[in-house]
Amino acid sequence: MARIFCIANQKGGVGKTTTTVNLAAGLAKVGQRVLMVDLDPQGNATMGSGVDKRQLTTSIYDVLLEGSTVAEARVRSDKLAEAGCSYDVLGANRDLAGAEVELVDVERRERRLQAALAAVSPEYDFILIDCPPSLSMLTLNGLCCAHGVLVPMQCEYFALEGLTDLVNTIKQVRANLNKELAVIGLLRVMYDPRITLQQQVSEQLKAHFADKVFDTVIPRNVRLAEAPSYGVPGVVFDPSSKGALAYLAFAQELVDRIGSLQAP
Ligand code: ADP
Ligand code: MG
């Protein structure tokens, strides 16, 4: 069965999508079978995985609301296959923006994604879910079916404050909907060690959250920001760039951590 992780942080622009697509590609590169689920109507993770969101005939919207199966809706980009970093994509586009409202009247509305993923879970080692920048019904669908949450964050002044809301939401979901849900770890992203404030916040994070903070740090690196316009993750676009190497190291750290979690 796949390990299912949400990449979540209710703030926008903190590196969720960049983390999702680069982790997906990084895990694929070390031989893991990966499904990437785009839960954000912006469809950035879809586009950043080489899949044109405007050309999707079946998307996650159809899976959540129209009874389509994941097997019918998933796609795979040739560009990633050529690079040896291939993973399946359950894509999103603007249709998904309506799902938030439409789900309100649906039975077991927060468990739609869980039900859909159950059928394909045995085919994967990892399912990564790119969440929208909100603690909405879509994010709730992700949290309901996940084993854990990966939280990318910038080491800035308000970072810790935002984290409290997310941690409280995760606690509530654990109490009411999904007792398996755990915070797997906090990932420091867009890190610039020359900025004293970032060093200080990074130290605070480690003081508060100890081993919940991943050892790998993702630096600010322009190659990661350029990659989406070529429709590939940074680890495919420029594998030797600092950003790509950091995400590859992160993929390995995660695999190691999961291994140690599963040990008796
Ligand atoms: P989110 O999904 O949380 O909204 P994104 O992953 O889309 O955040 O990142 C926001 C912006 O920052 C994007 O333009 C992205 O290319 C850029 N970005 C993300 N991570 C890095 C990084 N490590 N270095 C430089 N730019 C980054
Ligand atoms: Mg995003």
Side-chain angles (χ1 to χ4, degrees):
M1 292 299 254
R3 302 295 299 173
I4 305 179
F5 295 131
C6 279
I7 292 75
N9 186 325
Q10 73 277 24
K11 283 186 162 192
V14 294
K16 289 182 291 297
T17 299
T18 305
T19 297
T20 307
V21 299
N22 281 287
L23 180 59
L27 288 169
K29 200 167 190 163
V30 294
Q32 305 290 311
R33 299 165 302 161
V34 181
L35 171 67
M36 194 287 293
V37 178
D38 192 350
L39 256 192
D40 187 338
Q42 293 182 84
N44 293 344
T46 303
M47 297 293 278
S49 301
V51 174
D52 189 340
K53 63 182 176 183
R54 293 155 300 201
Q55 312 260 308
L56 287 173
T57 47
T58 314
S59 72
I60 185 154
Y61 173 88
D62 302 291
V63 170
L64 293 175
L65 283 146
E66 301 290 341
S68 298
T69 63
V70 177
E72 287 162 351
R74 65 187 164 194
V75 287
R76 209 171 244 253
S77 153
D78 296 337
K79 282 189 212 170
L80 299 188
E82 284 160 23
C85 294
S86 198
Y87 56 87
D88 285 348
V89 174
L90 179 51
N93 54 31
R94 285 181 58 192
D95 292 347
L96 188 60
E100 197 71 49
V101 176
E102 290 169 51
L103 276 170
V104 171
D105 295 325
V106 172
E107 221 179 301
R108 290 170 66 80
R109 60 192 173 201
E110 67 283 319
R111 300 220 182 258
R112 306 291 287 185
L113 185 61
Q114 182 178 38
L117 291 180
V120 296
S121 176
E123 297 174 42
Y124 298 101
D125 299 304
F126 287 92
I127 298 178
L128 303 179
I129 305 173
D130 186 31
C131 290
S134 60
L135 298 172
S136 61
M137 183 54 68
L138 289 171
T139 300
L140 204 56
N141 260 273
L143 294 177
C144 253
C145 60
H147 300 106
V149 186
L150 308 175
V151 187
M153 54 187 308
Q154 286 174 264
C155 291
E156 287 178 345
Y157 185 65
F158 289 116
L160 289 169
E161 211 168 286
L163 214 52
T164 312
D165 293 338
L166 181 62
V167 168
N168 285 337
T169 302
I170 291 168
K171 278 186 187 154
Q172 277 175 21
V173 172
R174 192 162 45 217
N176 300 310
L177 295 163
N178 176 6
K179 54 182 189 311
E180 269 195 78
L181 188 67
V183 176
I184 303 295
L186 310 177
L187 177 66
R188 292 162 286 174
V189 299
M190 297 190 229
Y191 189 73
D192 184 345
R194 292 167 301 182
I195 300 175
T196 311
L197 176 64
Q198 294 207 3
Q199 286 174 15
Q200 288 169 348
V201 173
S202 177
E203 289 310 314
Q204 277 178 346
L205 273 180
K206 281 199 278 189
H208 277 272
F209 295 98
D211 60 356
K212 287 284 179 196
V213 182
F214 287 108
D215 294 333
T216 311
V217 176
I218 310 297
R220 184 170 281 285
N221 179 246
V222 70
R223 303 301 269 169
L224 290 172
E226 288 168 352
S229 61
Y230 296 86
V232 288
V235 301
V236 173
F237 178 58
D238 186 352
S240 60
S241 63
K242 280 190 177 159
L245 292 172
Y247 272 115
L248 290 172
F250 175 54
Q252 192 59 56
E253 183 181 356
L254 185 67
V255 170
D256 293 345
R257 233 181 232 227
I258 298 313
S260 63
L261 283 180
Q262 282 171 343

